[in-house]
Amino acid sequence: MWVDPVGSLTTWARHHGDLFALRLPAVGRIVVVGDPSAAHDVIRSDPASSATGSATGRVLPLLGPSCVLRQDGDAHGERRRMLNPLFHGDGLARRREAIAKVTRRELMKWPADGPMPLLPRLSDLSFAVISEVVLGLTDEDQVDRLHRLVRRATGPAALAGTWLWPLGSGQLRDRTLQRVRQHQQAVDRAIVELLAKRAHPGADRHDVADFLLDVAGHDSPTPDRELLEELRALLLVGHETTATALAWSIERLVREPAVLARLGESLAAGDQSYLEGVIREVLRWRPPVVDTVRELTAPIELAGHLLEAGTLVVVAPLLVHRHPELYSSPDAFVPERLIGGSVPNPATWIPFGGGTRRCLGAELALAEMEIVLSELLAAFTLEPTDARGERARLSGTVLVPARGATAVLSRRGAALG
Ligand code: HEM
């Protein structure tokens, strides 16, 4: 699963059907759902019969218990209602120019000499967008430092420790947990320092940090544990996912010369609709998040199987998006199939999950992808390659290109000096 998630999931589905069980070391038994109609039922299930916050805690223990991702029931609904306006409508529209500005600044730093993996650079860019533009943590150097601390807290060593600690001896468990806590504390200290440095704290209620501090009635810029956990969670889930989707976009564009050429022509003509199709198809073809989880709080029948309360159910967007009844030739990359309409069908296109738990940052991520890809193609030419496509591997619960989306970029106009 770690080295070949696409191959493993599709092989298991072929052998065992669209609904099968796996036993994971630290998590226990999970039921994987690739059947489109069962997936729709699970994702949109009544919050009274399934819980997401507790399930997320079982697979992502790095997220603190007070953040929106770990809440269920009324507490979850309340937090969503509070955060929603910051990620939609005017709250998002207001940020588009700021996202473009940060993008142009970050793209200026990219070297353009020979093949290079773009995922780490896209990760820096997305981190700058979420921390500076969305959360309101604006000191560029300190944001870089914060990103290094977040990387250490979520790197392979930290993740392996977190997933495997229930298997270790008492001493090993204590040491692992202590290390996780140290990483979290270092990240939280850096966030507090950044909050203290913001220009005019309280002047702009549109960024998340100001908004949360305001709601909590803080006069001082020092947040309590609950606010820190929310900010930390939004930083963690709000950059690696988008960076990964952008990395897969590059991985495909350099191997699909006809798509790359048509995209260049349509952007030059001021038409964004083909870019929208490319982005939606990337999210269908390689949905970054491998699992959308729910923990059943009541028994349900799913695709002819009775599942007990307590079962951890994992919807795999990758399997739904490759279902032959929904998408013909699912391995082919065809942006045309998802052009038009305000959003693709929420029952058959589920990179952002759905129901009351649909990704809070979906519109932000789509806007960011549109802006970054437009700016990137305006600043650089991408060289097509006939090198084999990159395999996917798992980083945490995100499907990343195994060679980091390696591509050759040339800065436009560089030859003219
Ligand atoms: C391409 C990028 C992204 C993808 C593929 C993605 C995917 C997802 C998925 C699959 C879920 C679970 C939904 C469910 O359980 O039904 C989720 C939840 C969430 N995402 Fe994203 N995400 C992306 C970007 C972002 C960004 C930029 C943010 C900004 C902060 C964000 C914030 C969240 C939050 C807060 C939740 C929890 C929502 C809740 O529990 O109510 N995501 N995301």
Side-chain angles (χ1 to χ4, degrees):
M1 186 66 187
W2 259 284
V3 290
D4 183 13
V6 178
S8 305
L9 280 172
T10 48
T11 307
W12 292 330
R14 203 166 46 245
H15 287 299
H16 304 291
D18 287 336
L19 197 121
F20 55 88
L22 287 179
R23 204 170 287 279
L24 297 181
V27 183
R29 181 171 173 273
I30 61 170
V31 171
V32 179
V33 180
D35 173 76
S37 118
H40 189 63
D41 290 351
V42 171
I43 286 183
R44 300 191 148 250
S45 56
D46 182 350
S49 60
S50 76
T52 304
S54 64
T56 303
R58 281 170 69 178
V59 294
L60 288 173
L62 276 169
L63 299 175
S66 328
C67 71
V68 62
L69 289 109
R70 299 268 311 261
Q71 303 295 312
D72 282 308
D74 292 346
H76 171 256
E78 221 169 90
R79 192 66 67 85
R80 281 285 299 219
R81 272 193 295 284
M82 189 174 97
L83 291 173
N84 247 328
L86 296 161
F87 289 90
H88 297 94
D90 282 354
L92 176 58
R94 215 177 285 124
R95 294 209 174 88
R96 292 187 74 97
E97 190 39 45
I99 295 176
K101 212 165 139 195
V102 169
T103 301
R104 288 194 285 270
R105 184 194 78 204
E106 291 297 308
L107 290 179
M108 287 296 286
K109 298 181 191 164
W110 287 20
D113 47 1
M116 58 175 175
L118 295 182
L119 180 57
R121 290 182 171 81
L122 290 163
S123 170
D124 287 343
L125 197 166
S126 279
F127 194 83
V129 168
I130 185 81
S131 40
E132 294 180 39
V133 181
V134 184
L135 298 194
L137 310 174
T138 46
D139 182 298
E140 199 182 322
D141 292 336
Q142 282 210 17
V143 165
D144 281 350
R145 190 175 145 259
L146 176 61
H147 192 194
R148 284 196 296 278
L149 293 170
V150 166
R151 264 205 202 111
R152 212 171 301 154
T154 55
L159 282 177
T162 325
W163 279 68
L164 298 177
W165 71 264
L167 301 178
S169 67
Q171 246 189 358
L172 181 69
R173 264 205 303 269
D174 291 348
R175 267 210 311 275
T176 311
L177 277 179
Q178 199 186 353
R179 221 171 304 134
V180 170
R181 253 181 248 123
Q182 282 166 354
H183 283 313
Q184 285 179 352
Q185 282 162 2
V187 169
D188 289 353
R189 271 197 303 273
I191 294 177
V192 171
E193 280 169 31
L194 270 158
L195 286 174
K197 280 198 144 191
R198 273 170 320 152
H200 312 300
D204 174 6
R205 298 291 177 219
H206 305 309
D207 70 48
V208 174
D210 265 349
F211 178 80
L212 288 179
L213 286 165
D214 195 32
V215 167
H218 285 263
D219 288 332
S220 99
T222 308
D224 54 24
R225 188 181 60 84
E226 207 171 293
L227 295 187
L228 267 176
E229 285 186 0
E230 197 68 271
L231 292 175
R232 189 194 326 129
L234 293 173
L235 273 180
L236 291 178
V237 299
H239 79 288
E240 218 49 64
T241 41
T242 316
T244 301
L246 284 165
W248 281 117
S249 311
I250 304 295
E251 192 277 347
R252 264 314 80 196
L253 287 175
V254 293
R255 288 178 180 81
E256 303 278 354
V259 174
L260 181 58
R262 182 165 170 196
L263 179 59
E265 282 160 21
S266 60
L267 287 176
D271 176 6
Q272 297 277 312
S273 60
Y274 193 68
L275 175 60
E276 196 175 75
V278 168
I279 291 170
R280 290 172 177 182
E281 178 68 345
V282 165
L283 292 168
R284 179 200 68 83
W285 191 75
R286 285 289 180 270
V289 176
V290 76
D291 56 347
T292 296
V293 292
R294 302 284 185 268
E295 183 170 6
L296 300 184
T297 49
I300 60 165
E301 200 189 312
L302 208 59
H305 299 266
L306 186 66
L307 304 181
E308 295 161 11
T311 307
L312 197 59
V313 183
V314 169
V315 170
L318 186 85
L319 292 178
V320 173
H321 291 176
R322 296 169 66 89
H323 208 280
E325 281 168 22
L326 303 183
Y327 297 98
S328 59
S329 312
D331 276 332
F333 186 80
V334 187
E336 287 76 4
R337 63 170 126 215
L338 286 167
I339 292 178
S342 55
V343 271
N345 184 341
T348 58
W349 188 80
I350 52 166
F352 296 109
T356 55
R357 308 299 298 222
R358 183 172 186 267
C359 173
L360 185 67
E363 277 64 38
L364 168 71
L366 291 169
E368 185 179 333
M369 287 184 74
E370 200 185 296
I371 293 166
V372 172
L373 288 173
S374 305
E375 294 288 343
L376 195 153
L377 291 173
F380 297 96
T381 54
L382 277 178
E383 225 152 281
T385 175
D386 54 8
R388 277 185 61 205
E390 294 190 32
R391 222 172 22 77
R393 69 170 174 78
L394 266 186
S395 166
T397 58
V398 178
L399 276 182
V400 298
R403 300 198 298 281
T406 296
V408 180
L409 295 181
S410 312
R411 202 171 281 280
R412 284 187 196 273
L416 301 174

